[in-house]
Amino acid sequence: MGLSLFGGLAGILVLGMPIAIALLIATGISVFFFTETSLIVLVQRLFVSLDSFSLMALPFFMIAGGLLEKGGVSKRIVNFANSIVGGLPGGLAIVAFVAAAFFGAISGSSTATVIAIGAILVPTMLKEGYDIRFSVTTLAAAGILGTIIPPSIPMVTFGVSTGASIGDLFSGGIIPGILLTFLMSVYAYLYGKKNIKVEYEFSFAKILRTFKEAIWALLMPLIIIGGIYSGIFTATEAAAVACLYGLIVGIFVYKELKPKVVKEIMEGAVINSAMIMFIVGAAAAFGYVMTKARIPAELSQFIVSLTDNPYVLLLLINVVLLIIGTFMETNAAILIVAPIFTPIILEYGIDPIHFGVMMIVNLSIGMITPPLGVNLFVAAKLKDGLKVNDLLNKHLGMYLLVCLVGLLLITYVEDLVLFIPNLLK
């Protein structure tokens, strides 16, 4: 039955079928031919899995990110980041990472971060003499910070699928996000030192002015994390508060949100949420049949037979996730794989929050890994005439290398993830 489930899923995906439909077809075929379970049970599992208060955070965070993106936040964040690090060699590339980290703390989305920051920075970088392939590749790499810096939509997905605390996942992603921002900025610095002449004058007055302009955007992550850990509201309620906050800032503070734009943001959030919810339901049905066939238990026994060392286990899991991340969307991969690996890592005494952040960092790297790295496709659209193949260059290789170094540190230095959650507790 396991061969039918995974073989059928792989075969259907190769045909180009959407992941949610592929999951349901593979599940339905396996149940119909290899069990006596009624197909009605699958429908029930699909709908029951969506009856979750935590899942409501997904559309709310999408709406909040859209409101702040279209409400004038991205350009103010870029200006603030530029005032701090713009004078360094490779300053504008470093600005891309710092701005992406700030914006990721608002949007929770990788692709939204690429578009919002890239639309402003890429023309400026080209004007300052940066190579076009380096510029666009840098923005693609910066986008992964949107799913690591909290709030993060994949973190919500992981929390829902495994029962891990979404608040702890949010706080656990702060140091790893900062670490990756620093590591990628180091390469940008070395590139700039060799290729770009900086003509920027550092000014504390400019930092203060741009900080005042961006303060409303920078407050939102503090409200979300602070509200969750102070017990004022749950992660889902925090997402709703973020929507209200984004609406107030966009309309009354920055005064750049128009009714037509709000309507477009709502429509986009509804469509994207529906897509993710469909995957969630299909993955739940798939997981139910997988559990019924004892696949997670058998896989656990197999892995345990390979090694009793938790460090080796984490290395094996990382390799598997890196492969999965190259051809599967992050949320879909989490929904399918996380319920399989979570019982295994618990058996080895590995903290689920540490594992969850590690998994999200790993799968986020897949967003800039060929052949299906979604950030590469999005970034290629930032400049007319640019193709995805143009982003497969030495700069992408270096960004992938430093991200893998960061992933190893996050994997084996547990406190990089757990220090802040433990501190807040």
Side-chain angles (χ1 to χ4, degrees):
M1 186 168 169
L3 181 62
S4 169
L5 264 178
F6 288 99
L9 176 63
I12 297 166
L13 287 174
V14 167
L15 296 176
M17 196 74 73
I19 180 70
I21 297 175
L23 284 167
L24 288 177
I25 292 175
T27 304
I29 290 173
S30 300
V31 169
F32 185 79
F33 287 104
F34 298 101
T35 74
E36 296 180 359
T37 304
S38 170
L39 291 175
I40 295 296
V41 174
L42 298 185
V43 179
Q44 292 172 341
R45 297 304 305 175
L46 193 154
F47 281 96
V48 166
S49 66
L50 299 179
D51 185 17
S52 167
F53 182 70
S54 298
L55 271 177
M56 291 174 64
L58 291 176
F60 280 133
F61 277 129
M62 287 180 181
I63 294 169
L67 290 171
L68 288 166
E69 175 193 345
K70 302 293 185 181
V73 165
S74 54
K75 64 183 179 183
R76 288 170 173 84
I77 286 178
V78 168
N79 291 339
F80 176 55
N82 190 45
S83 71
I84 300 173
V85 297
L88 296 172
L92 285 177
I94 298 174
V95 167
F97 294 115
V98 175
F102 282 133
F103 192 81
I106 294 170
S107 70
S109 167
S110 179
T111 53
T113 302
V114 174
I115 295 168
I117 303 301
I120 298 168
L121 268 181
V122 168
T124 308
M125 292 176 75
L126 298 180
K127 186 178 178 181
E128 294 296 322
Y130 287 78
D131 176 70
I132 183 172
R133 295 192 303 168
F134 172 79
S135 303
V136 178
T137 304
T138 295
L139 266 300
I144 70 172
L145 299 171
T147 54
I148 300 169
I149 300 281
S152 161
I153 291 172
M155 287 180 182
V156 175
T157 305
F158 182 89
V160 169
S161 62
T162 64
S165 166
I166 295 173
D168 285 349
L169 289 166
F170 280 179
S171 57
I174 295 174
I175 294 178
I178 294 172
L179 173 66
L180 289 182
T181 301
F182 172 76
L183 291 174
M184 290 191 285
S185 295
V186 169
Y187 175 69
Y189 175 89
L190 296 174
Y191 170 88
K193 195 170 184 179
K194 182 179 179 180
N195 299 283
I196 303 296
K197 182 180 179 181
V198 178
E199 298 180 358
Y200 176 87
E201 294 183 8
F202 184 84
S203 167
F204 281 109
K206 187 175 182 181
I207 291 178
L208 184 60
R209 176 176 58 80
T210 55
F211 175 73
K212 287 179 179 178
E213 293 173 352
I215 183 65
W216 292 101
L218 302 176
L219 279 175
M220 194 179 103
L222 297 177
I223 293 172
I224 292 171
I225 300 295
I228 292 172
Y229 272 93
S230 64
I232 297 174
F233 36 67
T234 65
T236 302
E237 291 163 347
V241 170
C243 286
L244 178 61
Y245 184 83
L247 200 63
I248 292 171
V249 170
I251 294 176
F252 300 107
V253 179
Y254 295 149
K255 301 179 180 178
E256 295 189 22
L257 269 183
K258 307 299 179 186
K260 182 181 178 182
V261 175
V262 175
K263 178 175 177 290
E264 291 172 355
I265 291 168
M266 298 292 286
E267 289 175 349
V270 167
I271 293 170
N272 291 326
S273 298
M275 291 169 58
I276 293 177
M277 294 295 189
F278 191 14
I279 295 172
V280 169
F286 185 85
Y288 168 77
V289 175
M290 196 164 54
T291 303
K292 194 175 180 65
R294 290 186 48 79
I295 292 173
E298 291 176 5
L299 181 62
S300 177
Q301 291 172 3
F302 172 71
I303 292 177
V304 169
S305 70
L306 292 176
T307 179
D308 58 358
N309 189 317
Y311 298 106
V312 175
L313 172 72
L314 288 173
L315 180 63
L316 292 173
I317 292 176
N318 268 318
V319 171
V320 171
L321 291 176
L322 285 170
I323 295 170
I324 290 173
T326 62
F327 64 86
M328 188 174 289
E329 193 270 334
T330 303
N331 288 293
I334 290 170
L335 288 163
I336 295 171
V337 177
I340 296 176
F341 283 134
T342 298
I344 299 173
I345 60 106
L346 291 175
E347 191 171 327
Y348 280 75
I350 297 168
D351 190 282
I353 301 301
H354 173 221
F355 175 72
V357 173
M358 183 201 83
M359 173 180 276
I360 289 159
V361 170
N362 190 310
L363 294 175
S364 295
I365 293 173
M367 294 179 176
I368 54 170
T369 307
L372 297 178
V374 64
N375 281 12
L376 301 178
F377 290 89
V378 173
K381 295 179 181 178
L382 293 172
K383 182 66 177 175
D384 292 338
L386 206 63
K387 297 180 181 178
V388 175
N389 288 344
D390 295 323
L391 276 69
L392 307 182
N393 51 54
K394 64 179 181 180
H395 307 301
L396 178 64
M398 288 304 300
Y399 285 133
L400 284 171
L401 179 62
V402 297
C403 284
L404 290 175
V405 170
L407 175 62
L408 285 174
L409 289 172
I410 291 162
T411 300
Y412 293 115
V413 185
E414 192 179 58
D415 282 345
L416 287 174
V417 175
L418 298 180
F419 175 75
I420 293 181
N422 292 337
L423 185 68
L424 291 174
K425 286 179 181 177

